[in-house]
Structures are given as C-alpha cells and as structure tokens.
C-alpha cells in the first residue's frame, strides 16, 4: 500500500496537526458555540463530531443522526472548518457523502467487524474522500491493518490510522491502554501511513491527556484528535474526557514539538557517538547470549544423560525472582526483566529439546 501524505489532504498552518470538536453533535447551538471558540484559538485543522454514537448500553445518547449533518454544514459555512464524522455502516457513509462531510472516520467498534468495514468500503468505490481508521477495540494489529486494506482496496489513498488505545481486562489507569508497541509496529510496516493519536479515548479523563499527547509527539506520531465541548460538564457523552477550547489551547501551548531529524552537525555527531556505543553494547550482549546458549546445551546433554526433565518449575521461579531483584537494584524495570527472562527461558527450553531429540553420534 502507498498512501498520500497527510498534508496533501489535510493542510494546516499549525503544528502539531489537531482534530477537535465534541464527542457527539448534540444541538446546533452546542456545535456553533464550540466551533466559534475553536475558531478563536486557531489551532484546529479538522472539526470532529459524532453523529451516530456507538454506545455500550442502550438508552444512552446515541447521536442525532441526519439532522446533525445539516448542523455540521452550518459549522462549515460559518467558520470554514473541514468536517469529519464517524461512519459505521453503508447508510451512514451515503448520508455523510450526501451532506458533504470532508473526511470520514471508522470507529473502534466498527473496525472489529470486517463485514461492516467492507460495506463502508463498497460505498466508497470511486469516491475521493479521505478516511481515518481507528484501531479495533482489542489489541489486534492484523484487524487494524485489514480495515485499512479494505478501505485502500476501494481506491482510497488518503488514509490515516487513529490510535485510540486498546481494551485491557487488567488494572490500568487508562480507559483504553495505549500499548505503544502496536502503533510503532504499524509505523514500521507502513512508514508512509499517517498515524493520529486520540488521547481523549485513551485516557477517558482529562487529567491524563497532556501526558499521552506529549508521548504521541515524542514518538513521532502525525497529529492528535482531542474531544472538546464549550461546556464538558453538560456533554451527553464522554463528559470526563472533553476539554473546553480554552483548555485545549493551553494544552497545545505546552506541548514540545519534536522533529524526526536535525540538520545540526554537532547534534548529529553526538548522536552518532552514542549510537556507536549502543552498537558495541549490543555486540557484547549477543556474545554473552552465545555463551549462555552453550552452557544451556551442556545442561541439556547432562539432563539427557541422567534422565531429568527439561522444564524445572522451581528453577524457573527462582530465575524469575532473582533476576527481577538484581535488576531492580540497578533501577531496571521489573516488567522489562521478566519479559526478557521469559524470552530467554523459551529459547532455553527449545535448545534443550533439540539436545534431547538429537541422536548420539558416537554411540
Ligand atoms: C469517538 O471518537 O467519539 C468514538 C466513539 O471513538 P472510539 O471509536 O475510539 O471509541
Ligand atoms: Mn467520544
């Protein structure tokens, strides 16, 4: 897949690129007031509003539907904003196109369902409209890529991914855990696919938003989608995570912009020195791993000779416990070491298995 650069279909004079507007379009007055205040802060490249709201439980605010598309035309007319709305099926898509919505987005609950994404993609055949694809609710990168491919196969090259975090069953302070390795893997596989981060839906409350917004920029993500409402306390959905346009302005003002590269020779030189150090350390690490694997082979042969099982639960528990303790003393994160131990242990089992299954050549 080859994508069109973001600035060709979403031009902005401001950095970082900001998409903002309320979670849901509630009334003409709410949209116009929010849009007027957003116009005043002059940071926003695209005005968002949910017209059909996918809600977890029935009887919650499910959006105002087609009527809200007429209000959004008014926002466009009065304040000159380009508009984006969420579409979840063919009918939404047809209506959004009919009312001149500039950019469509596919929500997390829709990306999980290839039938729905395909239905939307079919309506989009031959239509030149940019589409943003949110990640599916759960951490499935293939499903996210699959959604993007379905849109792409309908002929659309103006595509962005939106990272809105992932459902997590364990304890987390986020509404949706960021799990940064996933968007980073997406970037690795599709370097020219723009990725926009949605701190509002990752955080679920406005206190955490600055941290995630900064992290997105630190990682070189291409823009931010942030929900805003002229008075979040009366919002009909996602009240905890919406910002007033004034708060949005303050937040963006405090963000530190980072460049993917620098032309400064001194900085580049210093970076190069540090990278050479990392190269040497990695070389040492690989040599140490080689030594470790050789000892494991010996352990494997010895266990084979004496009919001892490969997996030893107590030894494994001891390894996990002691390495975590050693690492913590040095200020290395326990989780990091536990993950590393897991990888080493998997490899150790594999090596010993190979030793056990190899025939003795001498005998
Ligand atoms: C939204 O953007 O308002 C929304 C419903 O988001 P998500 O699909 O990420 O839950
Ligand atoms: Mn929302």
């Amino acid at each position: 897949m080859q994508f069109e650069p973001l600035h060709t279909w979403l031009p902005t004079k401001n950095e970082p690129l900001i998409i903002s507007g309320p979670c849901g379009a509630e009334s003409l007055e709410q949209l116009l007031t929010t849009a007027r205040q957003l116009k005043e802060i002059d940071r926003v490249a695209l005005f968002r509003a949910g017209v059909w709201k996918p809600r977890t439980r029935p009887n919650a605010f499910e959006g105002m539907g087609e009527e809200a598309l007429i209000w959004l035309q008014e926002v466009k007319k009065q304040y000159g904003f380009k508009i984006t709305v969420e579409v979840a099926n063919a009918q939404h898509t047809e209506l959004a196109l009919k009312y001149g919505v500039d950019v469509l987005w596919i929500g997390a609950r829709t990306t999980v369902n290839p039938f729905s994404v395909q239905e939307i993609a079919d309506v989009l055949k031959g239509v030149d409209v940019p589409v943003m694809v949110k990640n599916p609710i759960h951490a499935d990168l293939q499903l996210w890529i699959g959604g993007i491919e379905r849109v792409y196969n309908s002929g659309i090259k103006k595509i962005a991914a939106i990272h809105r975090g992932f459902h997590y069953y364990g304890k987390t302070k986020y509404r949706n855990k960021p799990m940064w390795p996933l968007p980073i893997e997406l970037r690795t596989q599709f370097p020219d696919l723009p990725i926009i981060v949605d701190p509002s839906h990752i955080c679920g409350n406005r206190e955490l938003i600055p941290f995630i917004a900064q992290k997105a920029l630190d990682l070189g993500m291409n823009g931010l989608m942030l929900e805003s409402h002229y008075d979040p306390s009366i919002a009909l959905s996602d009240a905890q995570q919406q910002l007033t346009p004034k708060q949005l302005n303050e937040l963006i003002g405090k963000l530190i912009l980072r460049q993917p590269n620098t032309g400064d020779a001194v900085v580049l030189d210093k970076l190069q020195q540090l990278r050479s150090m990392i190269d040497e350390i990695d070389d040492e690490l690989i040599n140490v791993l080689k030594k470790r694997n050789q000892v494991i082979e010996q352990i494997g042969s010895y266990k084979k000779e004496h009919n001892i099982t490969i997996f030893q639960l107590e030894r494994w528990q001891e390894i996990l416990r002691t390495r975590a303790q050693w690492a913590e003393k040095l200020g290395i994160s326990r989780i990091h070491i536990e993950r590393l131990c897991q990888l080493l242990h998997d490899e150790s089992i594999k090596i010993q298995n190979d030793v056990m299954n190899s025939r003795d050549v001498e005998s």
Side-chain angles (χ1 to χ4, degrees), residues 54-67:
R55 304 311 299 278
T56 306
R57 305 279 300 270
N59 303 323
F61 172 64
E62 292 191 326
M64 300 301 289
E66 188 168 353
E67 188 185 8

Side-chain angles (χ1 to χ4, degrees), residues 23 53 201 227 238 241:
C23 176
K53 299 301 304 170
H201 290 90
E227 286 183 340
D238 289 352
Q241 70 192 34

Side-chain angles (χ1 to χ4, degrees), residues 23 48 53-54 86 105 107-109 134 164 198 201 227:
C23 176
R48 62 148 283 157
K53 299 301 304 170
E86 173 176 351
W105 95 75
R109 290 162 193 76
K134 285 196 166 195
R164 48 79 77 199
D198 173 349
H201 290 90
E227 286 183 340

